[in-house]
Amino acid sequence: MEILAIVFGVICVLLIVYLVCLQRQLRNINRQLGERLTTPKRQPISLEFLNLNSQLNRLTININKYLKEEENRRLDSIRGEKHFKELIANISHDLRTPLTAIKGYQQLMEKGMLTDDQHHKLQIAQKHAVRLEHLIEQFFEYSYRVSSEPVLHIERINLTNLVSECLAQSVSVFEEHDMTVQLEETTPIFVCVDKELTIRIIQNLIRNCTLHSAGAIEVSLLSDNNAVMTFTNPVKNNAVIDVSKLFDRFYTADKSRGNSTGLGLSIVKLLAEQMNGSVSAGLTDGSLTIQVKLALCKE
């Protein structure tokens, strides 16, 4: 009996040691997985006690295979994104050269002796050339913005005045599209931003409205935890807009966005986020609202 008790005791001790080692091994695996989630660490998962448990060894091998596959997908995605950015930059550059030649020959033709019909057709061609130039500029700007590290010049800016100035500069554009703009009066709101990037955001929002609005444009500014800039306009008839994709590059799902590259609002989102801001959009009762939040300046 004593021998059986001793054997049983030894077995219990070995079993306890085995369970403790197994638990420690599992904690170690969890720790390594946690480090991969919170740090740039990319090393495979390792075991402290080899051959402790065959199923645990197999699980570790499968985890490492899965992590390697995910890492390969991540690297492929990075390479694909880099290739895409280079492609956009090359396309925008390659399109600029022939477009410059086209506009040059159009100017020469304009100085020549043209009939009224020829002059009318030339004006149409020039209009489309200008539009094509703008589209190419958006391609170029987007490729530049996403491929370069932003150098921000943060300063204290009166956002209320800046929006008013940008709207005033666009009066002729609004008149050309037979649109009215209402800016809700507000007390001066000061933000800490890069002025040039903020002006580009406002200009893109104005252009988005002039291209796709079916009526009066409402602009408002308010101060909460952030400075909130809102542009609201009615959408064109039968426009189907997926607001969850509105800031995606090249989103032109609805017919009302057929005259754009789908990059204008993508640039707005990119610039806002570079200044630690955010963007959002909503569609209510046929009116599209685009909201940009920027950091307030503390008094």
Side-chain angles (χ1 to χ4, degrees), residues 7-262:
V7 171
F8 181 75
V10 171
I11 292 174
C12 288
V13 170
L14 292 175
L15 183 59
I16 291 172
V17 171
Y18 174 78
L19 292 174
V20 169
C21 291
L22 187 62
Q23 188 177 32
R24 179 176 176 180
Q25 194 78 281
L26 291 172
R27 280 201 305 267
N28 183 48
I29 292 174
N30 283 327
R31 178 184 58 79
Q32 293 179 75
L33 289 173
E35 289 178 354
R36 288 182 66 97
L37 290 173
T38 57
T39 66
K41 182 179 179 180
R42 292 290 180 266
Q43 287 84 359
I45 302 301
S46 60
L47 296 175
E48 284 185 321
F49 308 104
L50 298 176
N51 301 321
L52 179 65
N53 183 284
S54 60
Q55 293 299 320
L56 186 60
N57 290 344
R58 185 174 300 175
L59 174 62
T60 305
I61 291 172
N62 288 333
I63 288 175
N64 284 329
K65 286 182 178 178
Y66 173 78
L67 293 175
K68 187 175 181 179
E69 286 295 322
E70 285 298 305
E71 180 66 11
N72 289 336
R73 291 193 188 100
R74 187 183 72 86
L75 294 175
D76 287 342
S77 176
I78 292 174
R79 284 191 289 266
E81 183 73 12
K82 181 180 179 181
H83 176 71
F84 173 80
K85 294 173 183 177
E86 293 174 349
L87 179 63
I88 294 298
N90 292 336
I91 289 175
S92 62
H93 180 270
D94 292 342
L95 289 175
R96 277 179 166 187
T97 302
L99 179 61
T100 301
I102 290 171
K103 293 184 67 178
Y105 278 106
Q106 287 177 338
Q107 291 173 358
L108 290 176
M109 291 175 62
E110 193 173 24
K111 295 178 180 179
M113 299 296 295
L114 299 175
T115 65
D116 290 342
D117 182 60
Q118 289 173 332
H119 188 70
H120 175 67
K121 290 177 179 177
L122 177 60
Q123 286 181 326
I124 294 174
Q126 288 175 321
K127 180 180 178 180
H128 286 287
V130 170
R131 176 170 167 263
L132 179 58
E133 183 178 35
H134 175 76
L135 297 179
I136 292 173
E137 286 299 326
Q138 279 202 330
F139 272 110
F140 181 79
E141 180 183 7
Y142 183 79
S143 62
Y144 170 75
R145 297 291 184 189
V146 299
S147 60
S148 62
E149 289 294 328
V151 179
L152 303 180
H153 302 283
I154 303 298
E155 55 183 314
R156 189 172 185 263
I157 299 295
N158 186 328
L159 184 63
T160 307
N161 287 348
L162 192 62
V163 172
S164 299
E165 291 171 6
C166 290
L167 290 174
Q169 292 169 4
S170 302
V171 167
S172 60
V173 179
F174 293 131
E175 291 178 347
E176 179 183 344
H177 290 81
D178 195 25
M179 293 178 178
T180 59
V181 180
Q182 178 183 351
L183 175 61
E184 294 184 13
E185 293 187 8
T186 181
T187 56
I189 296 175
F190 292 90
V191 290
C192 289
V193 294
D194 183 297
K195 184 176 181 179
E196 294 303 318
L197 297 192
T198 306
I199 290 175
R200 194 72 183 109
I201 288 174
I202 299 169
Q203 290 174 339
N204 276 19
L205 291 175
I206 292 173
R207 176 170 175 77
N208 182 74
C209 289
T210 56
L211 285 176
H212 311 304
S213 176
I217 301 165
E218 296 180 5
V219 182
S220 65
L221 296 166
L222 61 88
S223 174
D224 192 8
N225 293 327
N226 298 282
V228 183
M229 177 169 54
T230 304
F231 280 68
T232 303
N233 62 268
V235 297
K236 296 178 180 179
N237 293 335
N238 301 319
V240 180
I241 301 176
D242 186 348
V243 293
S244 66
K245 297 180 180 179
L246 199 59
F247 298 100
D248 293 352
R249 63 191 180 198
F250 304 124
Y251 172 69
T252 55
D254 63 284
K255 294 181 180 179
S256 70
R257 294 174 62 82
N259 291 327
S260 71
T261 59

